[in-house]
Amino acid sequence: MAADPAAPDALARWSRKHAQETAAFAALNDLLAGEAALDGLVIADCLRIAGDRSVFLAHLDGAPLIIKHFTGPDGIARAAQVHQELASRHAIMGSGLLQVCAPKLFLPEKPLTFRAYQAGERLDTILEQVIPAARAQKLRQAGQWLALYTSDSRSTAGFGPWKWIKRIAPPQGSAYGPLIKRLKARLREQAPDLMGKPVQVARTHGDFAALNLICDGPVMTGIDIENRHELAVTKDLARFLAQAQSYRRPRGGWVPQPDLDAILEGFGPLPEFDSGPVLRFFYGLELGRRLMGSNGTEAQTENLAAALRTYVNSR
């Protein structure tokens, strides 16, 4: 029997992953050593290692919780900011049909956050399984969730599109480099009509996407609360739509109109400038950024590329 040529690569990937997780467990154990409040803590699994953080599933006195270790040089400050933001949002979204996950204990001298584990099903999974009417209902609820999340921090500010355009740079040798260049050209065309005009901003979620909304019956709960900046609310809406687009082929138009209509209906009234040209700008931006950083399946990556081709060809 011929050897599988992919086997050495798979073994190397497994070995790297195992080494990373072993180091992450060791670093977390060092941080937790001697903490009396955590005597009953049991680390169950390393869920993710990405960038400047490691995420773990644990149990404290039998109750599941999520621990996030911020591994960068500003880890302690970052953890404090994230805990503060989550506690602030939980104060207005700790009950009802639209919630955020509950913060747990806070250790001010540690680069760690602790939050409740959220049971339920991810919204992105639900959206791919339901009929159009049910999909629209869930999208409206997602819009309502973001509206409540930002309800006490909204204001207006002059829009600066150029800083976002400057951040678009395809990885060296990317097969999608020419497509990303076309996107930058389209965004540059839009920028003069957007520059300096007032847009609605708020302390948004920052990574508002269906995969960060968990549904348990009628209750929708947001997780991965980390943002510390004021951003245009339409950027979060566009980010949500771009992530959802990775699961399906484009179906005409620069954006999936039924999805856009449903989420805007849930969010509530926005100035026409925000819901029109600004959202269009951010949707192209988010498609491009998601395509450049895609770690999804081959089909999901091609869905994003197809959607971006449709976007840059639309007028």
Side-chain angles (χ1 to χ4, degrees):
M1 180 182 295
D4 182 354
D9 288 342
L11 179 60
R13 287 194 298 271
W14 180 88
S15 296
R16 286 194 297 270
K17 182 175 183 291
H18 178 71
Q20 289 173 339
E21 291 183 352
T22 299
F25 277 119
L28 180 63
N29 282 326
D30 287 345
L31 287 168
L32 298 177
E35 290 290 343
L38 299 173
D39 282 346
L41 187 75
V42 176
I43 309 299
D45 194 10
C46 180
L47 301 178
R48 183 163 60 98
I49 300 174
D52 63 350
R53 70 206 62 190
S54 302
V55 185
F56 302 86
L57 173 65
H59 293 84
L60 182 59
D61 299 326
L65 76 161
I66 300 296
I67 303 174
K68 190 172 289 187
H69 174 198
F70 291 94
T71 56
D74 62 343
I76 292 175
R78 187 81 181 99
Q81 291 163 345
V82 169
H83 179 81
Q84 181 181 17
E85 182 69 11
L86 180 55
S88 167
R89 296 306 85 200
H90 192 260
I92 64 171
M93 299 180 71
S95 61
L97 298 181
L98 307 170
Q99 300 188 20
V100 298
C101 52
K104 294 299 183 182
L105 73 160
F106 175 57
L107 305 176
E109 300 303 318
K110 303 288 185 179
L112 304 171
T113 58
F114 301 79
R115 69 162 176 86
Y117 171 79
Q118 186 59 48
E121 189 172 10
R122 279 180 14 182
L123 179 58
D124 58 334
T125 302
I126 294 173
L127 292 178
E128 295 313 301
Q129 298 173 346
V130 295
I131 62 174
R135 179 182 176 89
Q137 187 275 325
K138 283 298 183 184
L139 289 169
R140 282 192 295 272
Q141 190 178 12
Q144 292 166 352
W145 187 95
L146 185 63
L148 180 56
Y149 187 93
T150 60
S151 60
D152 63 345
S153 65
R154 292 190 212 174
S155 60
T156 58
F159 186 45
W162 294 106
K163 68 177 181 180
W164 299 110
I165 296 172
K166 289 176 182 177
R167 296 180 186 183
I168 301 175
Q172 200 79 19
S174 170
Y176 297 109
L179 180 58
I180 297 299
K181 288 181 180 178
R182 292 181 63 198
L183 168 65
K184 289 191 77 168
R186 290 287 287 116
L187 296 180
R188 288 190 184 109
E189 291 173 9
Q190 298 172 40
D193 292 332
L194 305 176
M195 184 65 193
K197 294 183 179 177
V199 296
Q200 193 167 118
V201 299
R203 289 180 68 89
T204 60
H205 182 284
D207 192 12
F208 182 57
L211 55 84
N212 285 328
L213 292 172
I214 308 297
C215 297
D216 186 10
V219 178
M220 182 176 287
T221 302
I223 62 172
D224 208 20
I225 309 297
E226 287 192 18
N227 185 44
R228 52 182 169 172
H229 303 294
E230 280 196 342
L231 298 170
V233 295
T234 46
K235 187 176 188 300
D236 260 21
L237 293 167
R239 189 179 186 90
F240 185 101
L241 292 167
Q243 191 272 333
Q245 183 63 70
S246 67
Y247 293 98
R248 51 174 50 194
R249 304 291 286 180
R251 303 182 182 185
W254 64 269
V255 69
Q257 196 65 46
D259 286 2
L260 175 61
D261 291 344
I263 201 167
L264 285 178
E265 181 183 346
F267 187 83
L270 270 173
E272 188 174 332
F273 180 66
D274 292 66
S275 61
V278 178
L279 195 148
R280 182 173 185 140
F281 173 89
F282 276 128
Y283 182 65
L285 179 85
E286 290 295 336
L287 282 177
R289 293 179 70 178
R290 190 162 289 275
L291 178 61
M292 288 186 294
S294 178
N295 56 2
T297 65
E298 184 177 339
Q300 289 171 346
T301 301
E302 183 49 39
N303 287 343
L304 288 169
L308 189 53
R309 291 187 196 101
T310 299
Y311 179 90
V312 298
N313 290 327
S314 297
R315 294 289 172 178

